[in-house]
Amino acid sequence: MRKTFGLFLFICFFACNRNPFAQSRYQPEPYNVSSVVVPKQDVSPVSLPEKPAIYAVLSTTQGNLVLELFDKDAPKTVQNFIDLAQGEKEFLARNGQKVKKPFYDGLTFHRVIENFMIQGGCPNGDGTGGPGYRFEDEINAKSLGLDKIQAGQAPYYQYQLQRAVANELQIKTREEAEAKREQIEKAFEDAKKLSVLEILYRTGYKYNETVTSHRALKGSLAMANAGPNTNGSQFFINQVDTPHLDGLHTVFGQLISGSEVVDRIVRAGNSKTTIKKVFIVDKRNVPASEPAAPQTP
């Protein structure tokens, strides 16, 4: 009986190890909390909310976009945006020289898609440029609930699910995929039982469990990227909710006013709207207005 039970355990162990999707491999990334510093206090060209926060005002040829920056929830990303906007950070110009000046002034919203988003921050004006460096994503996938959703029940993430299966089976060509069709189908069914977080982790995304991340909703300000940990200077502002981008892009702000400006930028088309200047206003330490004293009758 003992020999039979031991053999059973051995077979189970061997089978589980041959199934790459039998268990989770996710590990959170170490994360050090940082405080955002605003080097220069700009004067806003428009009135701002009384709420203590850091605000960015993008003055464009279509009007002003007022955004609250999430300095507590994406501090490294917010700091990068502020430093580029205020000319506090060196970047690599197209001629290969290091430059230190306001990065976004004069750039266009080079990519706009109706019922999706407006994208800017490319010095080349075509989506191929950046500041000459890349930095990591700043996302807590658990705070987005991606650990609670099975990949098979999330149609938005089917591409990442397919990639995870191809990576595990080391499939690189169509011919290899045809030769391993039966194996792929079995692996795909197994992978569908894992969480979206696990699948994204296996396709290269790294997450911390310290910050509180925000969903990609209408008006969200988020980093554009070319895959995991490829952030630079490009960003986008959502015209609509985009749940298929949760966990894939760092959301670091929210549009407070200017949704009609976003609509005008979309109608204008690619590269038709220029960012004239970005104003950064730090109201974190400004007390809210005190209520008026009651009048004596």
Side-chain angles (χ1 to χ4, degrees), residues 112-126:
V112 303
I113 301 176
E114 187 175 4
N115 292 322
F116 185 15
M117 57 85 222
I118 58 174
Q119 184 172 333
C122 175
N124 297 346
D126 58 5

Side-chain angles (χ1 to χ4, degrees), residues 137 139 205 214 222-226 231 236 245-251:
D137 298 319
I139 307 172
Y205 289 91
H214 296 254
M223 292 302 294
N225 59 43
N231 303 292
F236 62 91
L245 300 184
D246 289 343
L248 305 180
H249 299 266
T250 301
V251 174

